[in-house]
């Protein structure tokens, strides 16, 4: 059962016309609430201000009917609910070595920074490769996980160093070539027109 809408809108009166609703819900000409589903006057509970349930047999306002309890099967009797799930327990596994993670991340950053004239690849790549070597040694000593990340840090770090050296060599060669092959001229080598 829904409550009547709050007033303020246009509502149909019992004679079939429309009238402006008053504040507080649907009103009949006698001043009481009208049930929107049946069109019958509804009793308003004085404590809550909401329409109350009207017994269809006696026509008197009563409390809302209580819901009937669910029947219990006689052959099973009362059944207890299923027990809840227990707290999940995660077995603690071996830890992942932090230097292996750091070596891989720093080596990847070095590979991206090779384009910065090669210097970033050389410096940061060497740091990533060294972190990978130290992490691999710690993994062997402590029995931790992360051997693949340490190996990736070593390989990518040294590749970044080699690429960085190649980029620096290219820029050094380029500057040397431009300086050596720049045409030199002396402005006095050109003949000046003589005035006539």
């Amino acid at each position: 059962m829904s409550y009547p809408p709050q007033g303020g809108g246009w509502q149909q009166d019992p004679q079939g016309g429309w009238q402006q609703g008053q504040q507080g819900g649907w009103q009949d000409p006698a001043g009481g609430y009208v049930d929107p589903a049946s069109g019958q006057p509804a009793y308003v509970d004085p404590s809550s201000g909401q329409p109350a349930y009207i017994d269809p047999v006696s026509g008197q306002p009563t409390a809302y009917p209580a819901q009937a309890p669910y029947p219990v099967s006689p052959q099973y009797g009362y059944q207890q609910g299923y027990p809840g799930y227990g707290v999940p327990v995660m077995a603690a596994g071996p830890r992942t070595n932090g230097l292996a993670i750091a070596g891989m991340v720093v080596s990847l950053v070095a590979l991206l920074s090779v384009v910065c004239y090669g210097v970033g690849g050389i410096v940061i790549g060497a740091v990533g490769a060294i972190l990978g070597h130290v992490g691999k040694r710690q993994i062997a000593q402590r029995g931790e996980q992360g051997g693949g990340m340490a190996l990736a840090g070593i390989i990518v770090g040294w590749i970044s160093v080699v690429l960085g050296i190649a980029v620096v060599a290219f820029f050094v060669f380029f500057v040397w070539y431009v300086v050596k092959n720049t045409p030199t001229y002396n402005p006095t080598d050109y003949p000046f027109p003589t005035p006539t």
Side-chain angles (χ1 to χ4, degrees):
M1 176 176 179
S2 62
Y3 293 113
Q6 296 301 315
W10 291 92
Q11 299 160 1
Q12 190 171 8
D13 64 8
Q15 288 79 26
W18 292 92
Q19 65 181 5
Q20 176 71 34
Q22 298 173 2
Q23 199 68 0
W26 293 26
Q27 306 270 332
D28 69 352
Y33 281 100
V34 176
D35 181 19
S38 66
Q40 300 295 323
Y43 172 76
V44 177
D45 183 14
S47 62
S48 67
Q50 299 294 331
Y53 176 73
I54 298 179
D55 186 358
V57 176
S58 66
Q60 298 296 322
T62 61
Y64 288 104
Q67 181 176 349
Y70 291 108
V72 177
S73 175
Q75 62 186 12
Y76 296 114
Y78 176 72
Q79 293 180 349
Q80 287 185 331
Y82 292 106
Y85 291 107
V87 177
V89 178
M90 293 183 60
R95 294 182 51 200
T96 303
N97 186 277
L99 287 179
I101 297 170
M104 183 183 68
V105 170
V106 170
S107 295
L108 290 173
V109 169
L111 189 62
L112 294 175
S113 64
V114 166
V115 297
C116 299
Y117 301 108
V119 177
I122 296 171
V123 175
I124 301 173
V127 171
I130 291 170
L131 285 173
H133 282 293
V134 174
K136 194 150 178 88
R137 184 179 327 123
Q138 285 183 355
I139 289 169
Q141 292 172 350
R142 300 178 186 172
E144 295 176 324
Q145 290 184 343
M149 287 188 276
L151 186 61
I154 293 168
I155 293 171
V156 173
W158 289 126
I159 288 175
S160 299
V161 169
V162 169
L163 288 176
I165 290 172
V167 169
V168 167
F170 172 75
F171 279 113
V172 168
F173 174 76
F174 179 74
V175 170
W176 172 80
Y177 181 78
V178 168
V179 168
K180 182 168 171 89
N181 293 323
T182 302
T184 57
Y185 67 92
N186 189 352
T188 58
D189 292 344
Y190 294 109
F192 291 105
T194 56
T196 55

